[in-house]
Amino acid sequence: MFEIKAKDNMGRVGVLKTGHGDVRTPALMPVIHPRKQSIDVGKYGADIVITNAYLIYKDEDLKKEAVEKGLHELIHFDGPIMTDSGSFQLSVYGDVEITNREVIEFQELIKTDIGTSLDIPTAPFVEREKAEADLEITLERAREAVEYKKEHGIEMLLNSVVQGSTFLDLRRECAEELSKLDADLYPIGAVVPLMESYKYRDLVDVVMNSMKGLPDTVPRHLMGAGHPMIFALCVAMGCDLFDSAAYILYAEDDRLLSTRGTFKLENLQEMPCSCEVCSKYTPDDLRAMPKEERVQLIAQHNLYVSFAELRLIRQAIHEGSLMELVEERCRAHPALLDAVRHLGNYSQDLEKYDPRSKKSAFFYTGPESLCRSEVLRHMQKLREMPKKRDLIILPPSRKPYSKFISGKLGEFYIYGAEQEFDPEDTDFMVIDIPFGLIPLEIDEVYPLSQNAAPKIRDVDSIEFIEDFINEFIEYYDQVLIHSKIISDLDVGLYNKCISSDEIRYHRDDVKKVKAIADYQFGYGAGEALFTGNINIEKSKKTGKIRHIYDGKVLIVNMRASDSYLILSKEGAKRLHNAMPYPQNRVVVNKDSEPFALDGKSVFCKFVVDCDENIRAKDEVLIVNEQDKLLAYGKALLGACEIEQFQTGQAIKTRKGMKK
């Protein structure tokens, strides 16, 4: 029903399958009023729309037509249609003339594709007692709707809406309880007041805490979110669907949407974009038009802008540059910037879903970039890696650093107990924004070389690096910090400045590939993989390592784009023999064993367990429940998704171990 095609952080490009066609997500569902609609929203990019079943139910003429002809003919849209149940009217007027069961029956009767139970939208910042009482009714009605659907064999997909006001524990509780019901989609409701009052920081809390309890296997719909300036942020938090009437409501008020905010027509001297409307008309042209004609054109512009932004977001997910887009968009308003900075408090949640390697380089755009998954992950790796006795910290140079650092290194300040320098018992690292410290042996691994930051450092990044280095140097007996960077950092206490011909760095390709293996697969992988008569083959054109052999037996290939190691059959055997269960492993059931041995791809429904540290695009070992090596390949999803999905591919198998 829902399949993920690409990932970046919690953002997904996916496909939602319905009876009236597939929906590319992230997607916007324009609100269609059953009596007022005159714009063909499909022309501007709408795969799916939303309308209000309660409004149709209350209007006898519309109700009769919908029952006789069906909803799709009623609103003249042949793609998937979602219907709301009257919850909005309930929140505004306090009551509706329909029961939960009746609205489910009616939505099925008029052949909606995705129906909604009659939840209780609870406004932000209400008394907790009210939020709890409303939530109890919402859950009761969601259970009733799911049971009714099962009992009557209803094919219509069903929404179960997450409520709980701004009480984050109630949002989590609601999401967890709804997840037990096995509904088809999970909207997050009652957030419009937060967006209208620019309380985007609270929106981040509500969405992220709702996500903690929701399954990854179904689309998540942020109800009432229709302004393009917030799409990127919400997608990064895992939202797949949006709905709004903003495109037409804003047009009726002579307001034009953009990713930078909203423009009032009365203030415009130039049109804000290059869409068909903005290219053809001037602000004066629009102001001179009759109201009805002007509204139609502004609404078309608003649709153009909204769907263009969603296309850009989907492309960013494919490239791996979603967070750069988020950081760019959130500079449109201080409240949005506050929100993306607050999102940094959820870095651990985002990291679980973020692929380790991406097509796009990592661009540092400001202090917000310090909280990205890539930075968090690298610093965790550094803390976990075994330490030698001494540490040498060098200033940055051209990338990759190891290629341009060699020979005598210059003057250093000493931190810690002075001891005789031993190059074999020393870690060489380069100071870096935003990754803190980068060991020279792994500096070509994504994104440690595939990143760019301004040469003029901001105060936040300097303090961030100082704090990390002050923590990190405590692992070492002696730390030598290069004189070129000492003036920029407030790090520890130094004994004196020294210059020694003994302090040199020499590239060692075998040490390099062992360090990369440890960084990629876990400590011990390097020694396990690269034993014997190691022969390293490099590209004649670029000088980069391409293939690593034991004699003439291939162990691994090194991918040129990100310097990650790609296992061969021999490499998979060595890694499996050395690394403890369940590290680097995806475990399949008995039914899947012969297919894995033959090199067939592994589907999620056959996976019974996997290493919780697996992320999308990781190299993995495929084993049975007795830990017999069956095959090896590339993960297409992260561990949490592999364990939850019952459809779609989990692993693209490279080769089976069948002889």
Side-chain angles (χ1 to χ4, degrees):
M1 199 269 292
F2 181 66
E3 186 176 352
I4 296 174
K5 297 296 186 180
K7 288 164 39 62
D8 190 8
N9 282 270
M10 289 177 70
R12 300 104 64 90
V13 171
V15 176
L16 168 63
K17 299 181 183 298
T18 78
H20 279 84
D22 295 347
V23 179
R24 299 166 298 166
T25 66
L28 171 66
M29 300 179 288
V31 173
I32 304 295
H33 194 288
R35 281 208 181 276
K36 298 179 181 178
Q37 186 64 26
S38 60
I39 297 177
D40 180 6
V41 295
K43 174 183 175 182
Y44 302 97
D47 290 335
I48 181 172
V49 299
I50 185 169
T51 192
N52 193 304
Y54 181 66
L55 293 182
I56 299 171
Y57 180 85
K58 285 285 292 177
D59 187 310
E60 288 300 327
D61 292 336
L62 287 176
K63 181 178 181 180
K64 181 180 179 181
E65 188 177 352
V67 172
E68 291 177 353
K69 298 180 179 179
L71 180 61
H72 293 79
E73 187 170 339
L74 175 71
I75 66 171
H76 307 294
F77 187 78
D78 58 6
I81 302 174
M82 180 184 290
T83 47
D84 195 6
S85 58
S87 296
F88 175 76
Q89 285 71 25
L90 181 62
S91 67
V92 173
Y93 304 114
D95 195 17
V96 289
E97 299 175 14
I98 196 169
T99 67
N100 185 46
R101 179 169 293 212
E102 286 172 340
V103 80
I104 296 299
E105 290 175 343
F106 181 66
Q107 289 173 99
E108 170 67 6
L109 181 63
I110 62 176
K111 296 182 171 52
T112 186
D113 294 281
I114 306 169
T116 309
S117 57
L118 189 62
D119 60 293
I120 306 294
T122 311
F125 310 114
V126 299
E127 294 293 329
R128 185 177 180 91
E129 185 177 349
K130 174 172 174 51
E132 290 176 337
D134 288 352
L135 179 57
E136 186 176 341
I137 297 173
T138 289
L139 290 173
E140 180 183 333
R141 290 178 176 178
R143 295 185 188 105
E144 180 186 39
V146 171
E147 289 172 6
Y148 185 83
K149 177 185 173 181
K150 290 179 179 178
E151 288 173 2
H152 293 79
I154 292 174
E155 295 182 0
M156 174 184 72
L157 302 178
L158 187 63
N159 282 319
S160 289
V161 185
V162 180
Q163 297 289 353
S165 184
T166 37
F167 296 98
L168 305 185
D169 61 322
L170 295 185
R171 288 283 181 173
R172 292 193 298 272
E173 177 189 336
C174 184
E176 290 166 2
E177 289 300 313
L178 291 177
S179 297
K180 298 174 184 177
L181 302 180
D182 195 28
D184 301 298
L185 294 92
Y186 294 97
I188 299 172
V191 294
V192 171
L194 294 176
M195 293 182 283
E196 290 178 337
S197 57
Y198 288 80
K199 295 186 181 296
Y200 298 122
R201 177 172 177 158
D202 294 297
L203 178 68
V204 167
D205 282 331
V206 166
V207 172
M208 291 302 294
N209 280 274
S210 298
M211 292 297 177
K212 287 178 187 289
L214 293 177
D216 299 315
T217 54
V218 297
R220 286 81 67 109
H221 166 200
L222 191 61
M223 301 187 82
H227 201 300
M229 70 189 293
I230 68 165
F231 287 166
L233 172 65
C234 297
V235 168
M237 294 190 290
C239 298
D240 304 295
L241 295 169
F242 305 94
D243 78 273
S244 180
Y247 72 99
I248 190 68
L249 295 177
Y250 278 50
E252 290 172 351
D253 196 31
D254 284 343
R255 291 188 290 167
L256 289 79
L257 298 176
S258 84
T259 56
R260 295 183 58 244
T262 307
F263 296 102
K264 292 184 178 180
L265 179 60
E266 64 187 77
N267 297 330
L268 280 181
Q269 300 301 312
E270 299 287 344
M271 297 298 283
C273 78
S274 299
C275 75
E276 184 178 292
V277 174
C278 291
S279 299
K280 186 175 181 180
Y281 301 97
T282 69
D284 286 338
D285 292 335
L286 292 180
R287 286 189 283 261
M289 288 179 182
K291 174 75 171 180
E292 186 175 341
E293 183 180 355
R294 181 170 68 247
V295 167
Q296 292 294 303
L297 289 172
I298 296 176
Q300 290 172 29
H301 158 85
N302 291 341
L303 288 168
Y304 271 121
V305 169
S306 299
F307 286 111
E309 179 68 359
L310 287 170
R311 289 193 296 271
L312 186 63
I313 289 169
R314 291 195 292 265
Q315 180 62 31
I317 293 172
H318 282 289
E319 292 176 352
S321 60
L322 177 60
M323 290 311 295
E324 274 122 37
L325 181 61
V326 171
E327 291 166 10
E328 176 186 338
R329 292 294 186 249
C330 285
R331 279 172 167 75
H333 193 282
L336 274 174
L337 187 57
D338 194 42
V340 76
R341 289 176 176 174
H342 187 54
L343 183 60
N345 295 320
Y346 295 94
S347 294
Q348 293 280 2
D349 298 293
L350 298 176
E351 190 278 329
K352 295 176 184 178
Y353 296 89
D354 199 39
R356 296 187 202 277
S357 181
K358 304 176 183 182
K359 295 178 181 178
S360 174
F362 181 110
F363 286 169
Y364 178 89
T365 66
E368 302 75 40
S369 302
L370 298 170
C371 295
R372 284 201 224 157
S373 301
E374 294 92 334
V375 177
L376 173 70
R377 183 182 292 146
H378 173 67
M379 290 187 165
Q380 287 176 336
K381 287 274 191 180
L382 281 188
R383 292 184 181 102
E384 295 166 0
M385 65 183 284
K387 313 295 187 298
K388 295 183 179 177
R389 189 194 71 182
D390 297 340
L391 169 64
I392 287 181
I393 301 178
L394 299 165
S397 62
R398 290 176 59 191
K399 295 175 184 175
Y401 300 128
S402 58
K403 186 176 180 179
F404 298 100
I405 294 176
S406 62
K408 184 178 177 181
L409 300 176
E411 291 188 329
F412 293 86
Y413 284 83
I414 300 175
Y415 171 84
E418 291 185 50
Q419 303 177 59
E420 185 177 349
F421 173 69
D422 179 1
E424 296 302 315
D425 202 11
T426 300
D427 288 324
F428 290 83
M429 301 189 188
V430 174
I431 189 170
D432 179 86
I433 302 290
F435 295 103
L437 294 170
I438 297 180
L440 290 180
E441 284 84 2
I442 62 168
D443 71 323
E444 293 185 48
V445 174
Y446 185 91
L448 305 181
S449 183
Q450 303 83 354
N451 72 82
K455 294 186 182 298
I456 299 175
R457 299 174 183 171
D458 53 73
V459 173
D460 296 84
S461 65
I462 294 173
E463 291 179 352
F464 180 80
I465 300 304
E466 285 178 353
D467 291 343
F468 177 71
I469 293 178
N470 273 311
E471 170 206 334
F472 195 71
I473 61 178
E474 296 299 328
Y475 293 114
Y476 293 88
D477 292 344
Q478 179 178 234
V479 179
L480 283 73
I481 303 179
H482 199 279
S483 59
K484 284 187 178 180
I485 58 175
I486 202 67
S487 60
D488 295 334
L489 294 173
D490 180 17
V491 181
L493 299 172
Y494 310 101
N495 293 337
K496 64 179 181 180
C497 181
I498 66 167
S499 178
S500 171
D501 290 341
E502 296 178 5
I503 304 177
R504 296 172 178 266
Y505 174 74
H506 299 283
R507 289 171 60 94
D508 185 320
D509 288 337
V510 174
K511 287 184 179 179
K512 182 183 186 73
V513 295
K514 286 182 177 181
I516 291 174
D518 287 345
Y519 189 79
Q520 179 176 348
F521 298 112
Y523 180 66
E527 287 296 332
L529 285 169
F530 305 117
T531 59
N533 180 23
I534 300 302
N535 174 29
I536 296 177
E537 183 179 299
K538 297 184 178 182
S539 166
K540 294 179 180 178
K541 185 176 181 180
T542 65
K544 286 188 173 184
I545 296 172
R546 297 301 304 274
H547 313 289
I548 307 166
Y549 300 86
D550 178 0
K552 294 185 178 180
V553 178
L554 179 67
I555 305 172
V556 297
N557 299 309
M558 182 179 284
R559 195 159 50 207
S561 60
D562 58 14
S563 291
Y564 275 98
L565 303 176
I566 308 302
L567 296 169
S568 70
K569 183 177 284 191
E570 176 64 20
K573 290 178 182 177
R574 293 186 179 196
L575 190 67
H576 178 259
N577 289 335
M579 306 306 284
Y581 178 92
Q583 200 164 342
N584 305 119
R585 289 163 170 82
V586 172
V587 185
V588 298
N589 64 18
K590 189 174 182 180
D591 293 338
S592 185
E593 282 189 41
F595 300 99
L597 281 168
D598 282 337
K600 301 293 193 300
S601 291
V602 173
F603 288 83
C604 292
K605 65 180 180 180
F606 298 114
V607 176
V608 296
D609 194 12
C610 68
D611 180 357
E612 65 178 11
N613 293 308
I614 288 173
R615 303 291 180 261
K617 301 186 180 180
D618 280 2
E619 291 291 301
V620 297
L621 305 172
I622 302 165
V623 301
N624 67 9
E625 294 179 76
Q626 289 73 47
D627 196 30
K628 176 185 176 182
L629 181 63
L630 305 174
Y632 57 97
K634 181 177 75 170
L636 300 179
L637 301 171
C640 47
E641 296 155 322
I642 291 173
E643 291 178 339
Q644 290 187 39
F645 270 87
Q646 291 300 308
T647 58
Q649 268 185 275
I651 312 297
K652 183 178 181 180
T653 304
R654 296 194 186 280
K655 193 165 288 188
M657 306 305 288
K658 190 174 183 179
K659 295 181 180 178

